[in-house]
C-alpha cells in the first residue's frame, strides 16, 4: 500500500483522534514514568502523520498543537525531541506555523536552554 492509502486507513480507523486524546488527557505537569513512553509515541505518531498530505490541517483542527506545546515543559529528552519534531512537521502549514510561532516560542527557547544547561 502507498503512504496515502495507509494514511487513509489510519484516519478511517480513528487513529488521529485516539492519539490526540492521549496527548490531551495526560497531565502536562505530572506525567507518570509509565505514561512517558506512551505520550512520546503518540506525539511522535502525530508528527509523522502530519507529514502526509492533508493530515497537518486535520491534526491542527483537533486542537492537539496546544497539547504538544504544553509538553515542552517536560524533562524527558525523548518526549521533548518528539514535540520538536511534531511541531516542525506541523509548521509546514502556514496557519499552524503562525500559531506555533505565537504560542510556543517561549517554551521552545526555554526547553532548548534546559537541554543545553549542564545538569
Amino acid at each position: 500500500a502507498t503512504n496515502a492509502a495507509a494514511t487513509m486507513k489510519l484516519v478511517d480507523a480513528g487513529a488521529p483522534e485516539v492519539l490526540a486524546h492521549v496527548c490531551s488527557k495526560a497531565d502536562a505537569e505530572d506525567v507518570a514514568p509509565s505514561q512517558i513512553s506512551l505520550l512520546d509515541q503518540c506525539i511522535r505518531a502525530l508528527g509523522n502523520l502530519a507529514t502526509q498530505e492533508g493530515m497537518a490541517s486535520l491534526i491542527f483542527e483537533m486542537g492537539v498543537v496546544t497539547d504538544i506545546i504544553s509538553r515542552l515543559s517536560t524533562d524527558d529528552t525523548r518526549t521533548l525531541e518528539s514535540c520538536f519534531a511534531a511541531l516542525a512537521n506541523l509548521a509546514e502549514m502556514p496557519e499552524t506555523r503562525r500559531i506555533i510561532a505565537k504560542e510556543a516560542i517561549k517554551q521552545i527557547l526555554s526547553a532548548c536552554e534546559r537541554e543545553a544547561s549542564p545538569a
Side-chain angles (χ1 to χ4, degrees):
T2 65
N3 278 348
T7 299
M8 286 314 301
K9 284 183 181 181
L10 288 171
V11 171
D12 290 345
E17 290 83 2
V18 171
L19 295 168
H21 179 75
V22 170
C23 287
S24 70
K25 294 302 177 192
D27 185 351
E29 298 301 317
D30 189 28
V31 176
S34 60
Q35 293 177 316
I36 290 175
S37 179
L38 176 62
L39 181 60
D40 168 61
Q41 291 173 21
C42 288
I43 293 168
R44 192 172 297 269
L46 285 166
N48 289 339
L49 279 173
T51 65
Q52 302 301 309
E53 186 175 336
M55 291 304 299
S57 14
L58 175 68
I59 292 167
F60 177 72
E61 289 168 10
M62 289 188 300
V64 77
V65 171
T66 304
D67 296 319
I68 294 171
I69 291 170
S70 75
R71 306 297 179 237
L72 292 171
S73 63
T74 185
D75 289 328
D76 182 69
T77 302
R78 186 170 168 89
T79 301
L80 191 57
E81 289 171 355
S82 296
C83 290
F84 285 150
L87 291 172
N89 290 342
L90 287 162
E92 291 295 318
M93 210 172 70
E95 52 268 33
T96 56
R97 188 177 313 125
R98 284 189 290 279
I99 297 291
I100 291 167
K102 182 179 177 186
E103 295 185 17
I105 195 68
K106 288 180 184 175
Q107 291 93 326
I108 290 170
L109 292 174
S110 177
C112 289
E113 187 175 290
R114 280 193 322 273
E115 285 295 302
S117 297

